[in-house]
Structure formats: C-alpha cells, structure tokens
Amino acid sequence: MSALDYVIGPALAQGHDVTLHAPAMFRREAERRGIGFRRAGTNWTCDPAVQQAASEVWKEGGNGPFNRYVFGRLWPARAGAKARDLIAAWTRARPDLVIAECSDLGAHLAARVLRLPVFAADNGLGPLLLDLWDTDIRPALTGLYGRHGQDAPPALPPLLVPAPLPWFYETPPPAARTVRRGVAEHRRALPGRPPRSPASRPLVYVSLGTLTTAMPGLRAVVEGVYREIIAALSGIDCDVIVSAGGLAEHLRDAEHLRDAGPRVKVVEHVPQPTLLRRVDLFVTHGGRASLLDAVEGGTPVLGMGVLGDQPDNVVAFARRGLGLALDLRAPREKIADAVTAVLATPHHAAAMDSAGAELSRLPPIDLTELRDAASLRAGG
C-alpha cells in the first residue's frame, strides 16, 4: 500500500472520494488511510505453494529467472480474475479516474474495456515490467485482451513516477509523469527517540524489507544475510537498529547479537521514514520506497538487493554516489568494510542532500488534471 500513498494522500487532500479495489488482505491498510475498500481479486500471492515455487526459482536460477516467472508469467496469468471483478464493480459505480499500480495488469485491462481514464502508479516495478513487456508480458496477455474484445495489443498505461526518471530508468518511458512523493501519516510517527550513545557513535539502521521474510522459501536465506550483517556491525563502534519483521525473534537469539550487547537492537517494525532522518547509514534491500525514504531522510545507503527491481536499484544509487552496493551473499568482512567506508566518506551524505533537493522539486500531483488528460487520451 505504501506504493500508492503518493496518490492517496493528495487525492484526499484535494477533496476526492477514494476507494481501493484490492484483495481482502489490504482491507486494514485502506482503513488506516481513511479510504473506502471494495474486494477485488484474490490473495493468491499469499498461497504457500505459489511462494515456495517462486522461492525455488530464485534460489536455483537467480533474479532474472525469478522476474520472468513472477512478473512475466504469474502476474499475467492472474490478471483475468482481477479484471473480471473490476469490470463488474466499475460497471455498477463508474469511477472518474483509475490509478492502479503498474503491476496490476487486471486493473489496466478493466479500465481499457470500460474506456476509463487510467494511469499506472510506478511501485518500483516499472523498469522491470518494461524490460519484460515485449518478450513475456504482452504475449501472455494477448489472449486475455482478445477475449475482452480488445484488438490493440496490451500496453502499460502512462506511468506516474514519484522520483526523477533518470534515477531508475535508462530510457525514460513514453508519457511518464514525475510527481511529488507522499508518505502516509502513520508511517511518520516515531514514539520516543532511537538510542544514541554518550560518545555519539554512528547509528546504523538495517532492514531487508517485508516481502522476502514473508516467503517461506527465502526466509532462511534472508535470515542468514541478517546474521552476517549483525556480525559485521558488532565489530564496528556504532549503534544498530535492525527491523526484521517476522525474523526478529530468531535474530534476537543469535550468538553475534548476544555478543554485541545493548548496542544492537532488533525489532519487528519501525516508522521508517522518520527514523531515516535520525540515522547515519541505512543497510537496505533496495526496494524503491525504502530508497526514496533514505533520500528524504538524507541517509546514505549500503544496498544489498534481494529480488525483483532491488539489485538494479542499489546499483543505480551507488552509481549516483548515494552509497555503496554489495552482493546479497557478501561475507561479514566485506559488509564491515563497506559500512566503514560509507560512514567515513562525507560525499555520500552530500550527494544524498542534493538528491533530496531534486526530489522535493517534483511537481505536486493534481488528480483533476490527470483525469482530464487521461479522459482525452481514452476518448471519453
């Protein structure tokens, strides 16, 4: 849901009625944001068999085969069920504007069938989907589009991107719009202050995201990476906060964590956007939202990409001088060297400050203007 906050927040502020059409698993997130909810599609991504199969593809073949399997095969195969639910819902109550995640292929089709104005909100997967579009996604969707009377080939709607395009796209996608980023209020609240040492040691924050820890087939791999990071940081004169989701309890029992004493604190979750304004280094999996949180917080990153868009993201950020990138399986010695290098190099923080200024200059999103522009494009 955080990938849609830059749309939801401005839409509410501008006085629009907002309804999320999504699987039941997102109902609570809609309620937290004060928007309507209508069930559409199924929670198929939570199916243990689906998660296990995807995990095995990643472990056996790496990130390229994983992306083709998940985004080039599984997502198109499930688009029909989502499109069917949305066509029925939007026929009864026609929306003025549809903004769907770029990976929500069923929503794109439903909007096209009903000739609704539509934009695709880039949730970080935009570059990956465009890379796979001609070879995997379009062929997989062609039959479904034909069954819904669509003669033109499947295509992504124009993208809304909450970051400067060159940060993540080597070639800017056609008709893409850069818009100002927004974060939900409940992700900003930070009770109290993070612990700081009397000697003002650097504070390092570690999070490898929630997706991989939720996939049983990858939990052991990610837990091993966390343990290597904790072992590396235990030998550095710094304070550490590790946000590890469902792995937190296991990590609290780690030998290296016990040896580190109170300098290393492992928790399940933190309000990340606010915390990143108070730390000196962010060790991250490189998800799009996490990297933009780091830019807004002015915090350099050490990226260790896991899957999907993440490996490319951390390389792109390192290339811009916003930190360093390491292979996910880097040993603790290399992790320690990289952490020390980033903390000791002022130009990474200066580059983050410049990137933050660039991000803040993006234009605010105007939902009425988007509706009018998309209506013209859709012939409505």
Side-chain angles (χ1 to χ4, degrees):
M1 276 292 293
S2 62
L4 290 174
D5 283 335
Y6 69 92
V7 175
I8 293 171
L12 292 174
Q14 293 165 26
H16 303 294
D17 293 326
V18 182
T19 300
L20 176 70
H21 294 263
M25 60 189 286
F26 293 103
R27 182 185 298 275
R28 181 172 180 271
E29 291 300 318
E31 292 171 351
R32 293 174 75 177
R33 289 161 172 81
I35 62 176
F37 179 82
R38 296 289 183 274
R39 183 172 177 172
T42 64
N43 297 339
W44 67 272
T45 55
C46 296
D47 184 334
V50 172
Q51 294 181 347
Q52 186 63 39
S55 300
E56 292 304 320
V57 170
W58 183 87
K59 289 191 289 186
E60 293 176 8
N63 197 45
F66 172 87
N67 289 340
R68 287 191 294 274
Y69 177 71
V70 173
F71 304 109
R73 177 177 167 185
L74 293 184
W75 282 98
R78 302 287 180 155
K82 183 72 177 290
R84 182 178 60 249
D85 289 349
L86 292 177
I87 290 170
W90 292 343
T91 299
R92 293 191 299 269
R94 187 179 179 89
D96 298 300
L97 174 65
V98 173
I99 298 181
E101 287 188 287
C102 59
S103 53
D104 193 348
L105 305 175
H108 306 163
L109 172 58
R112 183 157 149 178
V113 168
L114 296 176
R115 300 179 65 82
L116 294 170
V118 58
F119 281 90
D122 189 359
N123 56 10
L125 295 174
L128 188 156
L129 295 175
L130 289 173
D131 285 345
L132 293 174
W133 197 266
D134 290 335
T135 57
D136 296 82
I137 299 174
R138 177 179 288 153
L141 289 175
T142 297
L144 176 64
Y145 270 58
R147 290 193 293 275
H148 283 275
Q150 303 302 302
D151 296 328
L156 270 177
L159 283 163
L160 301 175
V161 183
L165 293 178
W167 287 12
F168 298 103
Y169 290 90
E170 291 186 10
T171 302
R177 292 178 175 227
T178 54
V179 297
R180 186 170 299 169
R181 186 173 187 250
V183 176
E185 287 300 319
H186 71 270
R187 296 187 67 228
R188 297 181 183 274
L190 184 64
R193 292 184 63 84
R196 300 305 300 261
S197 71
S200 295
R201 288 189 294 260
L203 179 58
V204 178
Y205 166 53
V206 181
S207 174
L208 300 179
T210 56
L211 175 61
T212 51
T213 59
M215 297 177 68
L218 289 182
R219 284 175 66 91
V221 174
V222 176
E223 183 175 344
V225 177
Y226 270 118
R227 290 178 185 271
E228 286 296 292
I229 294 171
I230 291 171
L233 294 174
S234 298
I236 297 174
D237 187 25
C238 63
D239 294 320
V240 184
I241 298 174
V242 180
S243 176
L247 291 176
E249 184 175 350
H250 294 280
L251 293 174
R252 291 189 191 110
D253 295 330
E255 177 183 351
H256 295 293
L257 182 57
R258 293 197 299 271
D259 293 343
R263 291 193 300 105
V264 180
K265 181 179 181 180
V266 177
V267 298
E268 291 188 13
H269 301 287
V270 299
Q272 181 170 285
T274 298
L275 180 60
L276 281 169
R277 298 181 183 275
R278 306 185 181 189
V279 305
D280 300 289
L281 173 65
F282 181 22
V283 182
T284 173
H285 63 305
R288 173 78 68 85
S290 290
L291 291 177
L292 295 180
D293 285 345
V295 172
E296 292 185 331
T299 303
V301 299
L302 172 58
M304 302 179 70
V306 182
L307 46 72
D309 58 312
Q310 299 160 11
D312 288 342
N313 290 345
V314 299
V315 169
F317 261 46
R319 189 182 302 122
R320 300 186 68 85
L322 304 175
L324 297 178
L326 282 180
D327 184 81
L328 183 66
R329 294 180 174 84
R332 63 193 65 174
E333 295 80 11
K334 285 192 175 183
I335 297 172
D337 289 345
V339 167
T340 302
V342 176
L343 290 175
T345 309
H347 81 256
H348 293 305
M352 270 294 182
D353 289 341
S354 296
E358 186 178 0
L359 190 64
S360 69
R361 290 193 294 268
L362 294 179
I365 190 170
D366 183 330
L367 276 296
T368 300
E369 189 276 329
L370 284 182
R371 178 202 63 193
D372 294 343
S375 294
L376 288 174
R377 190 183 65 251

